[in-house]
Amino acid sequence: TNRSPVLSVTTRGPRTIVVGKEALFEFDLKNASEIAAKNVIVRMHLPHWIEVAKQDTSVGSTRVEPDQQGDSTLNWTIAHLNGEAHEKLKLKIIPRGSRPLDLGVTWTFVPANSTAQIQVQEPKLEMSVIGPQDVLFGETKIYTITISNPGTGDAENVVLNLKPLVPSEQAA
């Protein structure tokens, strides 16, 4: 069974903001699971007409990076977010244009690893023959043949065939 963190981000702030005036937005990052999240990155897309005035985090670091369309992305990076933890990012922005703002938030984290330990077994057959070393022609002697498996797995479909000493005799 592989379990992973369950992250959510809640954005709080005013529904309307004024061009040229600072507006405060708070982002609450929550890990609702008991599993810690590693290398969490929360991303916010900011259009080119939005100026970031201030960033303050309860944990981790932030960095604004330009993108290829002339806009920018604010990246909030957290190396380790404990299970059932809450963290905050306060962001002050100043709009420089009179347009609707879609403050989209996405996040990623390193997926949890899952390891299943599988035991590999190996059968090993050993055979020993116990009996007299010397036998005279025509004598009957008794030998004990012992088959064992000192390996870690079951040996399946084991067959023991005794071959006659003389090719014209029947197989034992």
Side-chain angles (χ1 to χ4, degrees):
T1 303
N2 187 6
R3 296 175 50 205
S4 68
V6 178
L7 303 183
S8 64
V9 176
T10 304
T11 305
R12 289 189 192 91
R15 287 200 174 273
T16 58
I17 56 178
V18 178
V19 173
K21 287 191 170 186
E22 284 187 0
L24 175 65
F25 288 87
E26 289 187 5
F27 301 89
D28 293 325
L29 172 63
K30 179 182 179 183
N31 184 354
S33 115
E34 296 175 358
I35 310 298
K38 295 179 183 171
N39 298 329
V40 178
I41 301 174
V42 179
R43 293 178 180 87
M44 285 146 256
H45 175 78
L46 301 171
H48 66 279
W49 51 272
I50 293 293
E51 177 187 334
V52 176
K54 187 177 180 183
Q55 313 150 54
D56 185 30
T57 64
S58 60
V59 68
S61 62
T62 58
R63 187 172 71 231
V64 178
E65 296 178 350
D67 64 16
Q68 295 172 346
Q69 291 80 24
D71 295 333
S72 57
T73 302
L74 183 131
N75 293 317
W76 177 20
T77 305
I78 302 167
H80 185 87
L81 181 65
N82 288 328
E84 300 179 357
H86 292 263
E87 300 299 341
K88 288 187 183 275
L89 164 65
K90 293 181 181 180
L91 179 66
K92 286 187 180 179
I93 60 171
I94 303 171
R96 298 296 181 194
S98 179
R99 300 176 225 181
L101 170 63
D102 290 327
L103 198 54
V105 179
T106 61
W107 58 90
T108 59
F109 58 91
V110 174
N113 289 336
S114 179
T115 303
Q117 187 175 33
I118 300 167
Q119 184 180 19
V120 178
Q121 297 180 338
E122 178 183 19
K124 291 183 180 181
L125 292 179
E126 291 182 355
M127 182 175 77
S128 65
V129 179
I130 299 173
Q133 286 190 339
D134 297 325
V135 179
L136 296 177
F137 182 76
E139 282 186 327
T140 301
K141 297 290 181 178
I142 297 177
Y143 289 84
T144 303
I145 300 172
T146 304
I147 306 281
S148 65
N149 179 7
T152 57
D154 293 341
E156 299 176 4
N157 301 320
V158 176
V159 177
L160 176 64
N161 290 318
L162 298 176
K163 305 258 180 186
L165 296 175
V166 180
S168 62
E169 291 181 1
Q170 281 188 330

